[in-house]
Amino acid sequence: MDVLEYTGILNTFQSGGLGGALMLVPTPSWTLPPAPPLDTSPTSESSASSGPSVCGGFSDTYAALCDYNGLSCREEVQWDVDTLYHAGERRCFDLRDFSHLESRELALAVAALGYNRWFRGLCCRDLRLSSEVQAQVLHAVRRSPALEELILDNVGLNADFASRLAAALAAHPDPPLRCLELPRGSLGDKGLAALSQRFLGLPGGLRRLRLPHCGLGARGLAALGRALGANPAFRSALQLLDLGHNPGLLGSPHGTDLFAFLAQPNALLHLDLASTDCALDVLFGALLHGCCSRLSYLNVAGNSFCHRKTREVPPTLQQFFCSTFALSHISLAGVRLPPDALRSLLQGLAANTHLSDLHLDLSSCELRSPGARVLEELLGGISAVGSLDLSDNGFDADLLTLVPALGRNKALKHLWLGKNFSVKARTLEEILHKLVQVIQEDDCSLQSLSVAESRLKARTCILVNALGSNACLAKVDLSGNLMEDMGAKMLAKALQINSTLRWVGGFTGGSGVVSPPRCHLWSHGRSLSWDRNNTTAVGFQDIARAMESNHTLTFMALPLCDLTAAYRSAPERTDSGWQQIQWCLLRNGRGPKVPPEQVLRLQRGIVTSTAEQMLCRLSGRVQAAARGLRGHPGAQRDLAEAQELLREARNARALFPSLAALGPAGAGAGPLQLLLQGVAGDVAKAVDKELEVLLEALLGRAAELCPRATAAGVWPGGAWLGGAPRPRPPLPPGLAPGALLERAGEEIREQLGEVQLALVTSLTQAVVAELLRELRRVHQALAQHLQDPRSPQGQEPSNSTDEELGVDVDAPTLQRHRRCCRRTRPPSAFMGQSEGLESPSPPRSSEGDPKPHPLHFRAPEAQAVGGSPQQEEFGRLPPTVPPYPQEHSCSPHSEASAPPEAGSPGLEWVGLTSPQTPPPQVSGSTGSARLRPPPGGQQPWRRGSALQAPPSARLQAPPRMGAWPPQNGGERGGGAIQEATPTAPTGTSDRSRQLPPPKPQRRQRAHSCDKADAGPGPGGGGT
């Protein structure tokens, strides 16, 4: 008999329990009789007989079917079911576990489910089923008394299968089916109409119905809507309805019955109508009267807000978001929301006091500038949104104002901003700096940030440089930004000191039950994603070396695109780098976390470095003013106060390490340790008592069941006689009371250490801020005394304390200075070489003026000599200028090497352009390139400049060719470019001055610069 003609198996029951006889009964009207209740008491007879088989006797049934149909029984099928399914309590039979079997063999395994009470579901995804297997699936639906779930995803179904499935359900006297999922099957209107007709007769209805990507149309939707409305069981049973990705399904009037069902009180928790051409203004009106209080998941992505050409927004939209109680995820991705609709949505969420941690997906909604203004206005007052996806909305330059508004929302934890950075270079850098300021705020609530697919290229490093000492972000997505190996290097430097990132992985995913929405993937811990960045084997090795110093990152998603490309070019280096990364991730998941010494050093460098510099500079000014007031009769009180404050300022330098050495981290045998030691003894006694009770119970039950065998007192591992003491069962080393308490103590001490570090940081900031305020006050008082003609100095010093410190000194100011100066890594040298990156702009105030840096000084003589604005700031050199003074000739006889006159302000740094100093010029000969002095007899080291060069730097190697690029207004002279001669120039007032004999190595270096010199200069004849 063929397998398709097989009808059943009969299990006969003997008296007192389940018998082991199996009989094949070729009768089409056979049904499985109900099994009597099984007595599992120790003294029952059934306990001695053969009990029920594993997994409801599936292996026996499968073997009988194979024998009946003349096929060999696959022992691997029996082993997988009896071992894997039974051990994991897996009640859903997954055909993918046996996809390697032939079609007829797989059909026999499915046929066995029709006579099994243990399995509750049948599942198959992405595996095309043959007609034989499909027939046995229908046979199991028709015969099984326990099959509640049928999940067939992308298995090659058609409308004919749906019609036969409806017939199979009708043939079952009491179908137990409660979950029907047929995604990505070509059911069409015919198949859905046949199933809907059968839904009318389901007494218990369905709990889950998923039919996405099934090619459904208006006729099938009308039949489904009538069935859902006509069967009252669906209103109380249906919790999940997924009709998404059926284009045009709800764009016709045939959806009236479905909207009527949604408008009635129902039990829906999960509703997916994505890409069905649904009108959202009508849908939210129906949901408001239906499942508003229970709905937790709503996906209406890819639809239109309204089918009519009207600008009016129905009030039901705001009322729905104001009245919903359990909503946790809503996706409006791809919906072109009008600004008024967005305003109503946000106003409803702002008025809702029941929601929290809502995931709001507004990606690809084309919000642009109008939507950005609405978000800036209303988002700050919304506490219900915990995750916000704003990617691909064309915000671009509007992010300059939108990013600070996002930072003001302290309920926001997860943020997506990718594909919104199509702006010019300078604007892009300003946006990234704004984003860095947001994540560096001490009260920043963001835990995850995604700028994926933004193509930031080298400017990604602006954000990466802020990750090193960031204390809030646990997950970052940098994928799709093309930052290349240099970006990977900067990321490696950030990972070496970062202690908050836990995940380096992608956050993307589909919606629905099978593929959870990407907001659900945040529960995987702290992470980072950096795929699609053109990273080669060099970048992977940089990350691998950095991971050796990182002890907190526990997950990194596989950068498949970059890893594949890197493996093609350098397989060995790529493999070794990735293996090292994986080993470090495994170590971080099991081993200790960041060493406390590393955290202490990092925190001290971030917190106290800037404050100590400010304190030192202000203390120096107070000290200088106090020296000028010695002996002043009216300043003695202020001098005494200044002396006391200076003493405290010196002590404040040791404040942070002294405070950090106290408390849980350095207290030794503190109260917690003493308490744990005391509790360890009590726990050990309790464990011994528990083991005694357990041993008595075990022996009592064994003596009750097997009294003769236990009469001699047999004990595993040796004989135990009645008079001998009972042995104590050994405990595993990890379960000893001391080990348990030691691990608990480590966890508690780690948490206490974090609290201590936060307290020490706050206290140190407060003390230093108070000292700075007092020093400023005393300095101002001393400056007023210095204005007195009776003062020994008799003149007013330059009081630039406010200019140097920039703003008033308090704890928030110190925090802002700390974020600007220490927490963000400075831009690297590579930035600007290939893409013309701008230098980072200084932070701007609300009025738009740049704020002075707290440690930024201006040259006091710059304006006195008429210098250009570019010369005002000390240290602002062009990127190609060497950081040392240069000469235009290597000969010690040259005029440029003459020392300055006595009393001259100093020497000018070479390369700073000014109206008085045209740029030097480069010779164009094929020999060694040289620079000749600028025309007009100007000295390359012009006296009288505000910026001075040290005298010891007179003899240096010549600058590189092209170190001074021609300026627009620079003079080039009227003649051809000439080489500088080695002889000493004439006609200058300083010609008679001679240089001291230089060091031998410097003389040799100078001579090596010009091989055409006629002879050595003075003192150059020998050593």
Side-chain angles (χ1 to χ4, degrees):
M1 181 180 296
D2 189 71
V3 64
L4 299 180
E5 300 174 357
Y6 173 76
T7 56
I9 287 180
L10 178 63
N11 293 328
T12 59
F13 293 86
Q14 299 177 351
S15 59
L18 180 64
L22 291 175
M23 183 182 298
L24 300 177
V25 183
T27 167
S29 60
W30 177 87
T31 57
L32 188 66
L38 194 63
D39 186 5
T40 58
S41 61
T43 58
S44 65
E45 294 294 334
S46 61
S47 62
S49 62
S50 59
S53 301
V54 178
C55 297
F58 177 87
S59 296
D60 296 337
T61 308
Y62 170 69
L65 286 173
C66 292
D67 181 68
Y68 183 84
N69 291 273
L71 297 176
S72 61
C73 178
R74 293 286 185 176
E75 294 183 359
E76 57 176 324
V77 176
Q78 295 176 315
W79 189 93
D80 288 348
V81 173
D82 295 345
T83 305
L84 303 181
Y85 280 82
H86 178 70
E89 194 66 18
R90 294 168 55 186
R91 299 296 184 110
C92 185
F93 192 86
D94 196 339
L95 298 186
R96 291 176 298 181
D97 293 336
F98 312 101
S99 59
H100 58 284
L101 300 179
E102 295 183 1
S103 177
R104 294 171 63 85
E105 295 174 341
L106 184 59
L108 286 176
V110 175
L113 297 177
Y115 312 100
N116 188 280
R117 294 179 180 272
W118 193 82
F119 283 100
R120 295 287 186 263
L122 175 61
C123 173
C124 183
R125 291 188 176 94
D126 300 316
L127 175 64
R128 188 173 185 85
L129 300 181
S130 64
S131 58
E132 293 179 337
V133 178
Q134 291 185 16
Q136 294 308 310
V137 168
L138 297 175
H139 174 77
V141 171
R142 182 168 54 250
R143 293 294 186 182
S144 175
L147 193 63
E148 297 179 357
E149 297 183 2
L150 180 61
I151 303 174
L152 301 176
D153 185 356
N154 192 24
V155 296
L157 304 182
N158 51 25
D160 181 63
F161 177 85
S163 302
R164 291 190 294 160
L165 177 60
L169 289 174
H172 201 291
D174 186 15
L177 193 65
R178 294 294 178 267
C179 172
L180 180 61
E181 299 184 12
L182 306 175
R184 292 182 288 179
S186 302
L187 304 184
D189 288 341
K190 178 182 177 182
L192 181 57
L195 287 175
S196 300
Q197 187 66 27
R198 181 53 200 152
F199 291 162
L200 292 172
L202 283 180
L206 294 176
R207 287 195 302 267
R208 291 191 297 174
L209 177 61
R210 295 190 65 240
L211 300 173
H213 298 279
C214 288
L216 306 181
R219 289 174 48 278
L221 176 65
L224 178 62
R226 288 193 297 269
L228 295 179
N231 191 342
F234 278 94
R235 288 198 295 269
S236 59
L238 189 60
Q239 299 179 0
L240 186 148
L241 179 61
D242 185 359
L243 301 176
H245 303 283
N246 288 291
L249 180 64
L250 295 174
S252 64
H254 294 84
T256 306
D257 293 330
L258 179 61
F259 286 126
F261 168 77
L262 296 176
Q264 298 176 2
N266 56 71
L268 275 178
L269 303 177
H270 182 117
L271 180 61
D272 192 338
L273 299 177
S275 301
T276 57
D277 200 16
C278 175
L280 300 189
D281 55 347
V282 179
L283 175 64
F284 283 112
L287 296 178
L288 177 63
H289 299 90
C291 55
C292 180
S293 60
R294 302 188 60 180
L295 190 65
S296 62
Y297 181 96
L298 178 61
N299 185 8
V300 290
N303 292 306
S304 57
F305 181 76
C306 183
H307 290 170
R308 298 167 297 161
K309 294 183 179 180
T310 177
R311 295 185 177 181
E312 297 182 359
V313 178
T316 54
L317 178 64
Q318 180 176 348
Q319 294 174 6
F320 172 81
F321 286 101
C322 182
S323 305
T324 181
F325 287 169
L327 194 63
S328 61
H329 178 102
I330 179 171
S331 176
L332 298 169
V335 178
R336 298 186 61 179
L337 282 177
D340 293 338
L342 179 62
R343 182 180 299 274
S344 297
L345 187 153
L346 296 179
Q347 288 176 347
L349 290 176
N352 194 315
T353 59
H354 306 285
L355 297 182
S356 62
D357 293 333
L358 170 67
H359 175 77
L360 178 60
D361 189 352
L362 296 177
S363 59
S364 305
C365 289
E366 300 184 15
L367 299 180
R368 304 187 185 277
S369 295
R373 288 193 292 268
V374 174
L375 289 171
E376 295 170 17
E377 177 185 352
L378 299 176
L379 194 58
I382 299 176
S383 60
V385 178
S387 303
L388 181 61
D389 191 344
L390 295 176
S391 57
D392 194 17
N393 270 294
F395 289 135
D396 300 337
D398 296 299
L399 288 177
L400 284 171
T401 54
L402 179 58
V403 167
L406 294 171
R408 290 191 292 269
N409 189 321
K410 301 308 177 184
L412 196 59
K413 299 178 182 178
H414 312 294
L415 179 63
W416 287 263
L417 286 177
K419 300 183 181 180
N420 282 306
F421 297 90
S422 299
V423 292
K424 295 183 178 179
R426 182 179 295 273
T427 305
L428 176 58
E429 293 178 12
E430 293 181 5
I431 293 173
L432 292 177
H433 284 298
K434 293 281 187 182
L435 189 57
V436 168
Q437 292 177 10
V438 168
I439 65 176
Q440 297 296 65
E441 294 286 345
D442 288 337
D443 58 345
C444 179
S445 61
L446 283 179
Q447 299 176 7
S448 59
L449 176 66
S450 172
V451 290
E453 310 302 331
S454 299
R455 303 180 69 87
L456 301 178
K457 297 185 178 180
R459 294 174 181 84
T460 313
C461 295
I462 298 176
L463 181 60
V464 170
N465 287 336
L467 297 179
S469 55
N470 184 268
C472 63
L473 292 179
K475 310 169 188 69
V476 177
D477 189 354
L478 302 174
S479 57
N481 281 291
L482 308 179
M483 60 181 183
E484 299 183 344
D485 286 342
M486 189 55 65
K489 182 180 290 293
M490 298 300 105
L491 180 60
K493 295 179 183 296
L495 289 177
Q496 292 183 40
I497 59 174
N498 183 275
S499 59
T500 58
L501 282 177
R502 294 293 186 271
W503 175 312
V504 184
F507 317 145
T508 58
S511 60
V513 177
V514 177
S515 299
R518 52 183 167 182
C519 68
H520 293 171
L521 295 179
W522 294 110
S523 60
H524 286 269
R526 307 184 181 182
S527 64
L528 172 73
S529 178
W530 55 299
D531 197 8
R532 297 183 299 282
N533 278 299
N534 293 343
T535 308
T536 66
V538 176
F540 284 109
Q541 289 184 336
D542 288 337
I543 296 294
R545 287 193 299 268
M547 287 298 299
E548 295 178 359
S549 302
N550 185 288
H551 296 269
T552 57
L553 193 65
T554 57
F555 181 84
M556 181 183 294
L558 180 68
L560 186 59
C561 298
D562 290 345
L563 199 61
T564 304
Y567 194 83
R568 291 195 187 102
S569 58
E572 294 182 358
R573 289 191 299 167
T574 303
D575 182 69
S576 62
W578 183 250
Q579 292 295 336
Q580 178 69 16
I581 292 173
Q582 293 300 309
W583 182 88
C584 293
L585 293 174
L586 181 62
R587 176 206 61 190
N588 295 348
R590 297 179 179 179
K593 302 303 180 184
V594 185
E597 297 81 6
Q598 179 180 347
V599 177
L600 182 62
R601 290 193 301 266
L602 177 61
Q603 190 72 2
R604 184 183 181 186
I606 294 174
V607 172
T608 63
S609 177
T610 302
E612 286 182 1
Q613 293 179 26
M614 298 168 66
L615 198 62
C616 290
R617 294 187 180 275
L618 186 53
S619 299
R621 289 195 171 273
V622 172
Q623 209 167 15
R627 283 196 298 265
L629 289 174
R630 289 177 180 176
H632 193 282
Q636 297 303 316
R637 181 177 179 181
D638 291 333
L639 287 174
E641 187 176 3
Q643 185 178 4
E644 182 179 357
L645 287 175
L646 289 175
R647 186 184 307 110
E648 290 191 10
R650 287 192 296 270
N651 295 336
R653 300 181 184 179
L655 181 62
F656 188 89
S658 300
L659 295 178
L662 301 176
L672 175 62
Q673 187 68 23
L674 296 176
L675 179 61
L676 290 177
Q677 292 176 357
V679 172
D682 297 338
V683 172
K685 295 178 182 179
V687 169
D688 291 339
K689 183 64 175 177
E690 186 72 19
L691 288 177
E692 289 292 335
V693 173
L694 176 62
L695 184 58
E696 291 290 344
L698 294 176
L699 293 175
R701 179 56 62 89
E704 180 182 359
L705 296 178
C706 304
R708 186 180 181 86
T710 57
V714 177
W715 181 256
W720 166 50
L721 301 179
R726 295 176 180 178
R728 181 179 184 271
L731 279 178
L735 292 180
L740 291 175
L741 291 177
E742 183 179 355
R743 290 198 296 267
E746 290 178 358
E747 294 291 336
I748 296 174
R749 280 190 291 270
E750 183 180 354
Q751 298 295 329
L752 288 178
E754 294 180 2
V755 175
Q756 175 197 359
L757 191 59
L759 293 176
V760 169
T761 301
S762 301
L763 183 57
T764 303
Q765 289 177 349
V767 171
V768 173
E770 183 64 26
L771 282 175
L772 287 172
R773 279 194 293 265
E774 292 296 325
L775 285 173
R776 280 190 64 204
R777 181 182 59 79
V778 170
H779 182 262
Q780 292 174 358
L782 295 179
Q784 292 179 359
H785 289 299
L786 287 174
Q787 296 176 6
D788 191 353
R790 297 176 298 173
S791 64
Q793 235 182 16
Q795 60 181 356
E796 179 183 0
S798 58
N799 184 13
S800 59
T801 303
D802 295 339
E803 180 182 356
E804 292 173 2
L805 295 178
V807 287
D808 294 337
V809 180
D810 51 9
T813 300
L814 290 180
Q815 295 174 5
R816 288 194 297 270
H817 294 166
R818 171 165 57 93
R819 288 190 296 270
C820 295
C821 304
R822 295 288 298 176
R823 300 184 75 171
T824 303
R825 188 178 184 276
S828 301
F830 81 96
M831 296 186 67
Q833 292 179 355
S834 59
E835 297 185 21
L837 301 183
E838 302 289 342
S839 58
S841 305
R844 296 183 175 271
S845 60
S846 57
E847 291 82 5
D849 299 329
K851 293 184 179 180
H853 194 280
L855 302 179
H856 175 71
F857 294 90
R858 297 179 183 273
E861 300 89 353
Q863 296 297 335
V865 297
S868 61
Q870 288 80 3
Q871 290 177 308
E872 295 179 7
E873 298 183 1
F874 181 76
R876 291 283 296 243
L877 297 177
T880 57
V881 176
Y884 48 81
Q886 302 290 335
E887 289 184 351
H888 295 277
S889 177
C890 298
S891 174
H893 291 290
S894 64
E895 183 183 8
S897 62
E901 297 180 358
S904 62
L907 301 177
E908 181 182 15
W909 287 95
V910 175
L912 292 178
T913 59
S914 65
Q916 290 82 9
T917 307
Q921 301 177 13
V922 184
S923 62
S925 62
T926 58
S928 59
R930 303 205 193 148
L931 299 173
R932 67 176 179 84
Q938 294 282 351
Q939 295 286 347
W941 287 8
R942 181 175 54 83
R943 291 183 293 274
S945 172
L947 304 179
Q948 302 178 1
S952 62
R954 287 191 295 265
L955 295 177
Q956 298 287 348
R960 297 187 304 272
M961 184 175 181
W964 293 274
Q967 306 293 330
N968 294 333
E971 300 180 6
R972 291 184 176 272
I977 298 177
Q978 303 174 357
E979 292 190 6
T981 59
T983 59
T986 59
T988 60
S989 59
D990 298 331
R991 190 184 314 151
S992 60
R993 297 183 180 273
Q994 299 293 334
L995 287 174
K999 295 182 180 180
Q1001 62 270 22
R1002 296 222 174 168
R1003 183 177 65 253
Q1004 294 172 6
R1005 185 179 181 184
H1007 289 317
S1008 65
C1009 295
D1010 189 359
K1011 298 181 180 179
D1013 290 344
T1023 56

